[in-house]
Structure formats: structure tokens, C-alpha cells
Amino acid sequence: MPLPPLRATLGARPRTRPLPRFLPRLLAVLAVVLGTALAAPAPQARAAVTLTRVGDFGSNPGALTMYVYRPATLPARPAVVVALHGCTQNAQLYADNSGLPRLADEDGFLLVLAETGTANNASKCFNWFQSGDNRRGQGEALSVRQMVSHAVTAYGADPGRVYVTGLSAGGAMTAVMLATYPDVFSAGAVVAGLPYDCTRDNSPYLCMNPGVDRSPAEWAQRVRDAYPSYTGPWPRAAIWYGDQDTTVVPRNATELRDQWTALHGLSQTPTRTTAIGPDATRQDQYLAADGTVAVEVDRVPGIGHGTPVDPGTGADQCGGTGAPYFLDSICSSRWIARFFGLDTTGPGDPGPGDPGPGDPGSAACWTASNYAHVQARRATTRGGYTYAVGSGQNMGLYNTFVTHTLKESPTGYFALADGGCP
């Protein structure tokens, strides 16, 4: 989204004389001899993620650029995750720092990165606030939709498992895609973004800060107006933001929650609240009648405007802080993948639909193919295999031929029950 221009550097940069050529070598020798870190090399930059640019993916009315990250091992009919960068960023920077490519490798999904540039917006923001770009069938929204179509046809991706996430202007554009193409995206994760169509009667800056307060019903109607003839299920929505954000203030997370809970016909009171990650991020979940998490709000403590990351090689770590707006806190991409149902949840980690302590629920039984279980969100896929949500049990290959019975007890927790149910 349009961000205030960065301040010019104060004062002229002082002129310096070049160091003698022998000095770096001398310092290195002294460091070895003295056993000090005097001339220790600076930490090396992380290797850039290799992206493939796609030159022709449709009419591209929004004049965007498409990149793809394809894991070396990709299962048949993989899921697609579309990633939308923030202002002043680009696709490469977002891939290098968000942690999403690592998750694509581990979880076996195709990563599509859309990129805008200064020709569209001086700050390289997606134009989430312009009616020519945030409506179905035109502009940038249509360009992103065409990228999905290309991914499905060119890579054999599963059109039933398409997801979108993004930061700031990319987060606001994520809300645009969920609203304008609910028939395409199963779920989305808005990071430091805004409710859809706030700028119908307000300036972008007013929407960003101090934010606009409307009733849940009013916000929901704006989404319905984006595709009036749509009668299918609404996408699931995760909302991430830093509680110290002064660029897109936390009120927007509340308004986004109101918008998407109202669409799903849910109360604005969370079904359950837990603390996740190393920084005790507060996670509020709003469960649908079938026990799935329809809406989720993740409030990250102590950070401002940016994508929460947790650099490292641990199971729940990801991302880097080598660029502005990537903030060391929690690996949000890992939790977003779990929300999408793409990540196999480890012991003790709440995933989509997993029960919290003390959740009530009676047993229910479901017999279907692995493909049908995944579509109903009773199971997830990873590396071509199917895993039951909650128990994480391996159900075999992800296809329409393998059939299992799953027992649901408590609500949202599924376990194999081929020997008999209940």
C-alpha cells in the first residue's frame, strides 16, 4: 500500500580515502596470530531463491510479472500458494525472506509470486485501493487470477487447493482476491492488510490509519457485492498483524475479522484462544459448524509493520531479516501453511481444525476417498501422501482410489477408524 516516502539521508556522505590494498590482508593475518575476530569476515548473505519468470500467462490487464518457485520434488496435482509482496519490495526479495520456498520444498506445493513495479505504482504497491484493479474481471485482480489458471494448466496443479497470502499492500490485495474470486481461492492469509473495499468511500491513508469502523454486516456486504451471483462457500481467512503497527493500525485486523466472520455467519467472539510460537502470539480461532477454522486472527506482540519471521533451521523457524519489513518474531509462513492445511502438524501444535484443550465434541464418522477427505478438510497432503487432521496419521497416497474411515472426536480431530466406528 502507499507508504510515506523514506526520509532523505541527513547530511552529505563524507568522502573517504581508499584503504591501502595490503591492509585487509594484514588485518586478517593479525586476527589469526592474535586469536581475535579483528578481521573476521562479515556474515555471508543467504543464497537467493531461484525463481522462474513466466512470460505469457494471459492477457495480463494489470501489467504484473509472474514468477514461480517449483520444488525439486513436486507431487501430482500440487496445491498452489500465491504470494504478494509489500510496497517497495519485489518477488525475489519476498521469496528470499518470507520462508515460503522452504515450506514449498517441505510441504510439496507450487509457489507463485506476483510482482508489480513502478510503472503501476511509484512505491511498487499493488493497487488494492483502485477500482480498476480491485474488481473481478479486470486489472491486477484478473492478472493474479490468470496466474492461477496458468499454474493449474502448466504444472498440473489442483484447482481445488489454491491459496493466497501477502504483506501490507499485498495483504490488502489478498483480501481483494478472496473477495473477487471466492470460487478460486480456498483460503487466504492477510498480513498487515485491510478489509476489502474500505476505499469505496474513504482514502487509502484513512483506511490504513486510524482505520475505518463499520459493522460486520456492512463489511460482509462489500464482499458479497464483489461477486453478487456467487452462492458457494466463502474462503477461510487468517489475519496476521503486529500489535505495534502504526502504518496499518491493529483496528484493521478487527475490521477484517468482522468482515470474514460475518460472511461465515459466525460470532465475533473467538471459539478458542491460544498462545503460539516463541513470542506467545495470541491466536484467536473462529470455528465453523463442521469444526474447521473458518477465521483466525494472530496478534504478534511487540512488532510493527511487516512479515513476522523467525530465522533459523528449527522445525518451526523460517524466513530472514535481511530486508525491511521482515521482523524477527514468529515464523508466520509456517503457521499460515498449517492454516491452509498444507503442513503436517507436529505434536502439540494446533493446526487447522485441531481441538484445543477441553474442547467438547461427540464422535462422528466419515468414509471417503483420500481426495474427498482432503477436500472436506478432514485431512491434508504432503509429498503426495495424505494425513489425518489432528492425529497426523498417514492415510496413504493422495488420490481417489484409497478409501478410509475417519473418526472425528472431539470436533476437528480426526483419527483412522477403518476397523469400526464409532
Side-chain angles (χ1 to χ4, degrees):
M1 60 201 55
L3 297 178
L6 299 177
R7 287 187 175 182
T9 304
L10 297 178
R13 188 175 185 178
R15 299 185 62 182
T16 58
R17 299 178 66 180
L19 295 173
R21 292 182 180 178
F22 67 84
L23 187 56
R25 181 174 297 179
L26 175 61
L27 291 175
V29 172
L30 286 173
V32 173
V33 172
L34 299 176
T36 71
L38 182 61
Q44 292 187 355
R46 298 178 341 136
V49 174
T50 300
L51 302 179
T52 300
R53 179 170 177 169
V54 178
D56 183 10
F57 58 87
S59 60
N60 191 16
L64 302 180
T65 304
M66 177 181 179
Y67 292 91
V68 170
Y69 177 77
R70 186 188 189 282
T73 302
L74 194 66
R77 291 176 64 81
V80 178
V81 175
V82 178
L84 307 172
H85 63 79
C87 294
T88 75
Q89 298 179 339
N90 57 34
Q92 185 68 60
L93 184 143
Y94 205 71
D96 291 344
N97 291 278
S98 66
L100 287 169
R102 172 185 164 184
L103 298 179
D105 288 335
E106 295 177 0
D107 301 330
F109 61 81
L110 187 72
L111 179 60
V112 173
L113 298 108
E115 180 180 281
T116 187
T118 54
N120 282 6
N121 182 288
S123 297
K124 297 193 289 186
C125 307
F126 287 99
N127 291 320
W128 57 275
F129 49 89
Q130 292 188 356
S131 59
D133 288 303
N134 65 13
R135 296 292 188 264
R136 183 180 175 91
Q138 60 191 55
E140 293 180 357
L142 179 54
S143 289
V144 174
R145 198 273 177 260
Q146 290 176 345
M147 292 181 192
V148 172
S149 296
H150 180 84
V152 169
T153 57
Y155 296 89
D158 185 350
R161 295 188 300 142
V162 179
Y163 310 94
V164 59
T165 184
L167 164 68
S168 190
M173 202 66 188
T174 294
V176 168
M177 298 314 300
L178 295 179
T180 56
Y181 291 99
D183 53 332
V184 173
F185 296 95
S186 296
V190 178
V191 183
L194 300 95
Y196 175 68
D197 210 16
C198 179
T199 53
R200 179 191 295 186
D201 43 14
N202 294 285
S203 77
Y205 292 101
L206 181 63
C207 290
M208 291 160 59
N209 189 348
V212 175
D213 181 22
R214 297 196 180 280
S215 71
E218 288 177 295
W219 281 128
Q221 188 58 47
R222 296 198 176 199
V223 174
R224 294 189 184 96
D225 291 344
Y227 188 8
S229 62
Y230 180 68
T231 58
W234 293 107
R236 299 163 57 242
I239 300 152
W240 284 78
Y241 73 100
D243 67 0
Q244 303 300 311
D245 195 336
T246 57
T247 302
V248 180
V249 296
R251 168 186 274 184
N252 284 290
T254 301
E255 302 303 312
L256 269 164
R257 178 210 59 191
D258 291 352
Q259 187 167 60
W260 289 93
T261 51
L263 279 167
H264 283 275
L266 301 176
S267 164
Q268 284 69 59
T269 300
T271 309
R272 60 180 177 232
T273 297
T274 55
I276 62 171
D279 56 357
T281 289
R282 173 177 166 172
Q283 184 179 81
D284 292 336
Q285 294 183 322
Y286 303 78
L287 272 61
D290 64 358
T292 58
V293 182
V295 179
E296 179 181 287
V297 181
D298 296 274
R299 299 175 173 87
V300 186
I303 68 167
H305 189 69
T307 298
V309 296
D310 184 12
T313 58
D316 280 341
Q317 292 183 293
C318 74
T321 54
Y325 308 116
F326 292 95
L327 309 177
D328 193 350
S329 49
I330 181 175
C331 171
S332 58
S333 293
R334 171 71 71 187
W335 290 92
I336 287 169
R338 288 178 183 167
F339 177 78
F340 290 164
L342 303 176
D343 175 54
T344 300
T345 304
D349 294 329
D354 288 1
D359 276 355
S362 56
C365 296
W366 313 84
T367 301
S369 70
N370 281 352
Y371 177 82
H373 281 309
V374 170
Q375 297 306 301
R377 300 190 177 97
R378 295 186 288 267
T380 63
T381 64
R382 182 178 184 179
Y385 288 86
T386 306
Y387 299 85
V389 167
S391 68
Q393 292 173 303
N394 190 329
M395 299 165 57
L397 292 173
Y398 173 57
N399 57 37
T400 59
F401 305 106
V402 179
T403 299
H404 285 293
T405 298
L406 291 178
K407 177 181 177 180
E408 182 183 13
S409 180
T411 300
Y413 186 94
F414 298 90
L416 285 169
D418 292 335
C421 194

